[in-house]
Amino acid sequence: MDMTYSVRHIHLLWCIKRNMKLDNQELHTLLNDKGIYHLYHANTVSTTSTFIKEGGLLSRGAVEAKGLYQTPQSSDSIDKLFNVWDDVFLDTVDLHKYFNRQNYYGPVVFKISTDFLLKENSEIWVTKDNPINWNQNMTDSQKYFCSVEELKQ
């Protein structure tokens, strides 16, 4: 798999609730071996203002739970349905540049060093496709890579 493109939106998920966690060290090594040193999160100016006031990226669920403002997205109901509402999505490429157009999630891009994988105890999940393309019959192993080894293939 060529990790330098993300047509199928390989999203990295910051999760705290699942049991198919990837090894952060191995994932960092794989990304860096592929020349991926940064991950990206795009959002609207309004939602970004909320992040700045709160001191960092928040899941859509966390913003809602705190009663803060965020721009509605067409994927909100799907994110709730598939239990990714409380996750933060990161892309392996800047989709603005990759598609040479405005990112549908918003014009502001956060560029985050992959080194956070070495310092954080976050649970990282990598989706095989954007959740907007999932269906209710899919298993977790159909939605997510189960290991860094599987991700390498």
Side-chain angles (χ1 to χ4, degrees), residues 88-116:
V88 174
F89 289 80
L90 303 172
D91 290 296
T92 56
V93 296
D94 177 353
L95 297 178
H96 293 94
K97 289 181 182 177
Y98 183 80
F99 290 115
N100 197 28
R101 62 157 169 76
Q102 182 177 349
N103 189 318
Y104 294 136
Y105 293 103
V108 180
V109 176
F110 292 87
K111 183 177 178 180
I112 302 161
S113 171
T114 56
D115 289 346
F116 84 90

Side-chain angles (χ1 to χ4, degrees), residues 127-141:
T127 64
K128 295 181 177 181
D129 201 354
N130 188 314
I132 63 172
N133 297 316
W134 292 355
N135 68 63
Q136 291 181 312
N137 297 321
M138 295 173 79
T139 64
D140 277 350
S141 62

Side-chain angles (χ1 to χ4, degrees), residues 37-94:
Y37 303 103
H38 295 93
L39 301 172
Y40 303 86
H41 177 87
N43 225 307
T44 63
V45 173
S46 297
T47 302
T48 296
S49 295
T50 297
F51 293 162
I52 291 169
K53 289 174 188 168
E54 291 298 304
L57 294 179
L58 298 171
S59 70
R60 296 189 62 72
V63 173
E64 181 181 71
K66 290 180 171 222
L68 303 172
Y69 181 78
Q70 62 188 343
T71 307
Q73 293 183 358
S74 61
S75 60
D76 286 349
S77 61
I78 292 168
D79 290 349
K80 290 176 181 179
L81 175 69
F82 290 117
N83 201 26
V84 295
W85 184 243
D86 294 313
D87 301 333
V88 174
F89 289 80
L90 303 172
D91 290 296
T92 56
V93 296
D94 177 353

Side-chain angles (χ1 to χ4, degrees), residues 3 12 27-36 39 114 117:
M3 296 271 307
L12 299 180
L27 181 59
H28 181 270
T29 299
L30 174 64
L31 292 171
N32 282 239
D33 288 351
K34 297 287 186 180
I36 300 169
L39 301 172
T114 56
L117 293 167

